Amino acid sequence: MSELSERQWEYRAEQLLLDQLFMQLAKAGEYEDYQLYQQLLQRAETAPLLQKKGGEAHFQKALQYLSTLTDLITVDLKSGRILSKGYQPIDLQRIVDLLPETLSGRLHFLRRFSTDSTNSDLQRHSAQDAQYWAQQYYQSLPSLQDTSSKDEESLKAKVAVAEMQTGGRGRRAKRWVSPLAKNLYFSFKYRFSHRSVPYLSALSLRIGALLLEVLEALGIKGGKVKWPNDIWIGESKLAGILVESLFNRHDVEVIIGIGVNNQYDAALELVGNHPTCCEAILGQPLDRNLLIARLSEKIYHLCEQVEAESYALEQGIPLSKKLPDLRVIWSEISLLYQRRVQLSSDRDLLIGREVGIDESGALLVELPDGEIRPIISGDLSLREL
């Protein structure tokens, strides 16, 4: 067990067992606990825990706990029968295979069965947090064992995904409902140079426009951006975006978190914003692996373009291709363009008409006296009157 204590090793092994059970039950159908136990006993990853004294108890505990996380799996402990409605696990190898060859080796993928937040995973995914990661079960492509710490740090882009989140968060510290295997929990980290800072204030809106494009290509049409970082279909929220930045001495690390409601879950009815999901729109959930691959590809190219344009501007070099002018396309992608709106916080209340955005991504609101006021703070709550 090398550097890990007995308890740390057991904790990691329990995470792995839970994930492997989850994988085993992905296909819809009826299972017997004895057969599942025997199958996991034959796997090199799970055998060490199950062969220990109390291995069967670990198995039963994991099975019962898994059934409490989702309505996709039902366990009858008395009969030993398990019923799975079926689901599609996240498959890192398939995601990588779906990417164009031009991105080979440019992205590092991290998958966890359960995490507090995929944004947090990317914040602590560094050499300083090696002890934390040693105690966690996770998958990584390329494998961390095959990647030197120097190569790891040189990667400009990293992606973290998870089957569920226990502490997913949105703007204004709002909690994002994160049931198992049903939604997209995705975070993308890119290391920008300091010269790109002027472009980053509008990045959340650019990601919103990009997410609309990806969703439309996959059949979700009619989506709009609700400033500053939500995607709505009609009167219902489908997705949210959370962009966080960390300024370092040599660069700026930006983490782009995206959550998409993909499959119906009863918990959706308990939250505000009248949420919808891809399944309600299409009649079936989206392929999450395809969605992750397309988002990773598009966001990587967007970040590259931001870097290229900032460098060209600094050096006085003409560019053949420029970033789209968000001010021009805002009328097409905004949910509340030209509508009467209210912006509120704990201390302020502003009523006016949304008339556009400026080049920094600030919302432009026309007040009753005709003044056009730019709204910068995303901490204000925006809604239609």
Side-chain angles (χ1 to χ4, degrees), residues 64-127:
Q64 188 172 9
Y65 179 59
L66 187 60
S67 70
T68 67
L69 298 177
T70 178
D71 57 8
L72 296 171
I73 299 169
T74 304
V75 175
D76 185 339
L77 292 176
K78 186 174 290 187
S79 68
R81 294 189 178 277
I82 303 102
L83 182 65
S84 171
K85 295 180 181 178
Y87 44 86
Q88 179 195 58
I90 295 171
D91 183 341
L92 290 190
Q93 188 58 61
R94 180 159 180 263
I95 292 167
V96 170
D97 291 343
L98 287 167
L99 292 172
E101 289 186 10
T102 53
L103 289 186
S104 177
R106 299 192 183 190
L107 291 164
H108 187 124
F109 288 88
L110 178 75
R111 173 197 173 270
R112 296 182 70 185
F113 172 75
S114 176
T115 183
D116 52 352
S117 158
T118 52
N119 268 29
S120 296
D121 282 341
L122 290 182
Q123 288 170 355
R124 62 191 167 217
H125 198 228
S126 63

Side-chain angles (χ1 to χ4, degrees), residues 256-271:
I256 301 157
I258 296 177
V260 179
N261 296 327
N262 189 37
Q263 193 168 343
Y264 174 77
D265 189 88
L268 280 178
E269 299 177 358
L270 304 178
V271 299

Side-chain angles (χ1 to χ4, degrees), residues 91-110 141-142 155 157-161 186 188 214 287-301:
D91 183 341
L92 290 190
Q93 188 58 61
R94 180 159 180 263
I95 292 167
V96 170
D97 291 343
L98 287 167
L99 292 172
E101 289 186 10
T102 53
L103 289 186
S104 177
R106 299 192 183 190
L107 291 164
H108 187 124
F109 288 88
L110 178 75
L141 277 180
L155 280 168
K158 299 174 186 176
V159 177
V161 290
F186 168 100
F188 186 103
V214 171
D287 179 335
R288 290 186 301 161
N289 293 308
L290 179 58
L291 181 56
I292 290 166
R294 293 293 172 264
L295 281 174
S296 300
E297 176 187 355
K298 294 281 188 180
I299 296 175
Y300 183 85
H301 288 315

Side-chain angles (χ1 to χ4, degrees), residues 12-70:
R12 191 178 190 279
E14 287 169 352
Q15 293 179 63
L16 189 153
L17 176 61
L18 197 60
D19 192 29
Q20 290 301 311
L21 258 178
F22 168 76
M23 294 291 190
Q24 291 285 92
L25 294 167
K27 186 177 179 180
E30 191 173 282
Y31 298 79
E32 291 186 5
D33 60 359
Y34 176 76
Q35 291 178 336
L36 281 174
Y37 177 73
Q38 291 300 317
Q39 289 167 3
L40 290 171
L41 203 55
Q42 302 305 312
R43 297 180 68 92
E45 307 98 319
T46 48
L49 179 66
L50 297 181
Q51 289 169 348
K52 282 170 60 71
K53 183 179 179 181
E56 284 193 49
H58 280 299
F59 171 79
Q60 291 293 339
K61 179 183 176 183
L63 186 60
Q64 188 172 9
Y65 179 59
L66 187 60
S67 70
T68 67
L69 298 177
T70 178

Side-chain angles (χ1 to χ4, degrees), residues 353-371:
R353 183 168 58 94
E354 181 189 310
V355 293
I357 57 171
D358 66 17
E359 62 180 0
S360 72
L363 188 71
L364 300 179
V365 177
E366 182 181 33
L367 302 181
D369 62 3
E371 176 193 350

